Amino acid sequence: MYCEIHPASRGTDLAFIRQFDPKGIIFSGGPNSVFDPGAPTADVKLLDLGVPVLGICYGMQLVAHLAGGEVKPSRQREYGRAEVTVRDATGLFAGFPPEACITVWASHGDRIEQPPPEFRVTASSANAPVAGFQHDAKPIFGILFHPEVAHTPRGREILHNFLFHICGCAPDWTPGHFIDQEVQRIATLVGPERRAICGLSGGVDSAVAASLVHSAIGDRLACIFVDHGLLRQGEREQVEHTFRAHLGMDLQAVDAGARFLEALDGVDDPEEKRRRIGHTFIDAFQDAAQHVSGDVGFLVQGTLYPDVIESASPQGGPSVTIKTHHNVGGLRPNLPWKLIEPLRELFKDEVRQVGRELGLPDEIVGRHPFPGPGLAIRVLGPVTPERLELLRRVDAIYIEEIRTAGLYDQIWQAFAVLLPIKSVGVMGDFRTYDHVVALRAVTSRDGMTADWFPFAPDVLGRISSRIINEVKGVNRVVYDVSSKPPATIEWE
């Protein structure tokens, strides 16, 4: 179903909303409290437009605040899984058994102590007496949890009820429709003569972005693969084979490993790593672009919406900067090209659907996400050739064992992290003092939230044993069992 995401400031612009004429409006979650100075808000008259409104988490608190309810700090914050009881099996909860107890994903520090006048409670939890409400006469609804994430198992039913039963929307926006729109838009933007270059990493996002642009302008797209020396084992060879032999794209590979290592020399701070990688990436790109003939006016990137959200500044939008993504906040402001970011408003699951519609092979579409800064943000602390090589070997064993166990496609992302500490161990009756590596594997739908993957103990034991026995310099393996939130998927 087609939707647009707008900044919270649009909520005070009734003229824009009336002109847009939406079938429904969703107030999203966010990091603020309704009591914060400058917190995102909306015009209370928006609730009288007759357009269905759904408030999610902070959005529900805002609806309550605007409509005269009582919002207070929670005695106990809720982050992660929570149990909610359905009190009214109508509206959002149509089709749910009465008094059903459902598992949801929560992330809030405030709660609604008292619903606004003419609102009735539709769900509650142990920590939130008003975990859901709806207006008695108007199509206004709220829930204090996140139905949009995979970890609210019945969240899709809740959204389905709102979109199709309450708003009357039609599910007619497909990957094919998106491709048709984007191909036409890109062809018009680039024009009949100019060329574009694509920063190809070999991951899902840049591959789908490149395929979209290739569909629009054909051979006028040149793909540049910058090998920054921060790749996984065998990755460069796989990228070159796939994109040259299988997809037939114009691909130029640039060996820039020494350049990136020099830029990262002595750098520990993760944000500084990302910034330097972003700048060095553009420098390497500009050098490579000089060898592309014709009028190159555009740079194609596989930026996704989670990248934009997590890189947004407090001044630039309601999101808090979680981490700067090298292709969003890490780029220099004086780029010599105009950006083409066809996936900028999509999430990872939608990108995979578009990739399959474009006919990309599953070895690309089904790959786990890999960050643009590569292993630099998985080597915590200084980045050196020796530490990178150690992590490559660990990561290769980890992924090989996951595939052997038939678990790769059940996991959204899996990787190893080299920690900046050493620990005491015993090998062959001798004392060792070697590196510690952490393993991370998560399930997710879009990367905005995630939960740790529950490996069987024998699988974890086999992985740990192989790593310690086969990778010299590692004597301890730990497994990360934190969710997002409160943690992020990557460690840096």
Side-chain angles (χ1 to χ4, degrees):
M1 196 212 75
Y2 180 76
C3 64
E4 290 188 10
I5 302 172
H6 290 277
S9 57
R10 285 296 196 185
T12 60
D13 189 348
L14 292 183
F16 166 79
I17 294 172
R18 288 192 179 99
Q19 183 180 20
F20 191 86
D21 192 25
K23 285 183 173 290
I25 297 171
I26 295 177
F27 289 176
S28 78
N32 297 91
S33 166
V34 294
F35 308 111
D36 291 342
T41 188
D43 192 322
V44 68
K45 294 178 183 176
L46 185 151
L47 302 179
D48 295 323
L49 294 178
V51 178
V53 174
L54 169 60
I56 295 175
C57 201
Y58 173 81
M60 179 192 187
Q61 297 166 22
L62 178 59
V63 170
H65 184 65
L66 293 173
E70 187 179 5
V71 181
K72 287 186 174 182
S74 298
R75 289 188 291 271
Q76 180 178 333
R77 299 181 301 171
E78 285 188 313
Y79 294 108
R81 282 192 178 86
E83 301 299 319
V84 166
T85 301
V86 175
R87 303 299 183 189
D88 186 336
T90 63
L92 295 177
F93 299 106
F96 284 63
E99 299 299 310
C101 183
I102 60 174
T103 300
V104 303
W105 197 261
S107 181
H108 60 90
D110 290 347
R111 73 179 193 175
I112 297 159
E113 201 72 26
Q114 187 68 35
E118 300 182 80
F119 279 74
R120 65 182 184 274
V121 176
T122 58
S124 62
S125 72
N127 295 314
V130 186
F133 63 36
Q134 73 180 64
H135 196 280
D136 290 331
K138 301 174 184 177
I140 304 173
F141 306 81
I143 44 179
L144 202 60
F145 55 86
H146 291 270
E148 74 276 15
V149 302
H151 304 99
T152 297
R154 301 194 68 174
R156 294 177 72 92
E157 295 173 60
I158 294 170
L159 290 175
H160 187 278
N161 284 336
F162 179 72
L163 297 173
F164 304 121
H165 297 165
I166 295 168
C167 298
C169 296
D172 57 4
W173 194 62
T174 64
H177 185 224
F178 170 81
I179 292 168
D180 291 342
Q181 281 188 323
E182 277 302 301
V183 166
Q184 183 178 358
R185 184 186 71 83
I186 293 166
T188 301
L189 177 66
V190 177
E193 302 294 336
R194 305 192 78 184
R195 301 198 67 184
I197 54 176
C198 176
L200 198 63
S201 69
V204 180
D205 309 333
S206 64
V208 174
S211 295
L212 267 174
V213 176
H214 191 258
S215 298
I217 65 174
D219 292 340
R220 287 185 290 124
L221 171 69
C223 295
I224 298 175
F225 173 60
V226 176
D227 181 357
H228 47 31
L230 308 171
L231 299 172
R232 292 169 291 194
Q233 190 168 288
E235 193 149 23
R236 174 171 176 169
E237 294 77 9
Q238 182 186 19
V239 169
E240 291 189 270
H241 172 76
T242 300
F243 286 88
R244 282 187 179 139
H246 190 89
L247 299 178
M249 290 188 183
D250 178 11
L251 175 64
Q252 176 186 341
V254 179
D255 187 356
R259 190 172 187 171
F260 278 83
L261 283 173
E262 182 180 357
L264 291 169
D265 185 33
V267 177
D268 292 357
D269 181 72
E271 281 295 285
E272 182 64 15
K273 284 182 183 179
R274 290 173 179 271
R275 189 189 70 81
R276 292 197 183 195
I277 289 169
H279 288 186
T280 307
F281 183 81
I282 287 298
D283 289 340
F285 229 88
Q286 286 180 299
D287 292 346
Q290 295 176 9
H291 302 286
V292 177
S293 61
D295 181 10
V296 178
F298 299 89
L299 169 63
V300 181
Q301 290 201 135
T303 308
L304 303 191
Y305 196 65
D307 302 339
V308 177
I309 293 171
E310 292 189 336
S311 296
S313 69
Q315 292 78 22
S319 296
V320 170
T321 301
I322 307 299
K323 55 190 176 186
T324 299
H325 289 263
H326 84 292
N327 55 345
V328 182
L331 295 182
R332 288 174 176 165
N334 57 340
L335 283 174
W337 316 286
K338 295 179 180 178
L339 284 179
I340 297 178
E341 298 175 307
L343 313 177
R344 189 179 176 89
E345 293 184 358
L346 298 186
F347 290 89
K348 182 71 75 173
D349 57 333
E350 296 170 316
V351 172
R352 294 191 197 281
Q353 292 177 42
V354 170
R356 292 187 179 97
E357 187 78 14
L358 286 165
L360 290 173
D362 196 61
E363 65 189 73
I364 295 176
V365 179
R367 289 189 74 190
H368 289 181
F370 185 62
L375 298 181
I377 58 170
R378 294 177 179 173
V379 171
L380 306 195
V383 179
T384 66
E386 296 76 21
R387 301 185 84 213
L388 286 169
E389 185 56 31
L390 185 149
L391 183 59
R392 281 193 191 96
R393 295 178 62 195
V394 170
D395 191 78
I397 292 170
Y398 184 31
I399 299 303
E400 181 183 320
E401 285 295 328
I402 288 174
R403 289 189 183 277
T404 300
L407 300 173
Y408 188 84
D409 292 336
Q410 297 179 38
I411 296 170
W412 197 78
Q413 188 174 11
F415 56 91
V417 180
L418 178 60
L419 303 187
I421 58 173
K422 290 186 175 182
S423 71
V424 174
V426 179
M427 290 184 177
D429 295 330
F430 286 98
R431 177 188 185 273
T432 62
Y433 189 60
D434 283 330
H435 294 285
V436 180
V437 293
L439 306 180
R440 181 81 156 136
V442 298
T443 57
S444 182
R445 179 179 295 150
D446 52 27
M448 294 303 297
T449 62
D451 202 7
W452 58 278
F453 183 79
F455 281 114
D458 64 311
V459 175
L460 273 180
R462 188 163 56 248
I463 294 169
S464 174
S465 179
R466 278 199 63 192
I467 290 171
I468 291 174
N469 281 300
E470 296 178 30
V471 182
K472 186 177 181 180
V474 176
N475 70 358
R476 192 177 300 271
V477 175
V478 298
Y479 186 56
D480 183 348
V481 293
S482 44
S483 62
K484 176 186 180 180
T488 56
I489 296 176
E490 297 283 352
W491 281 46
E492 288 191 344

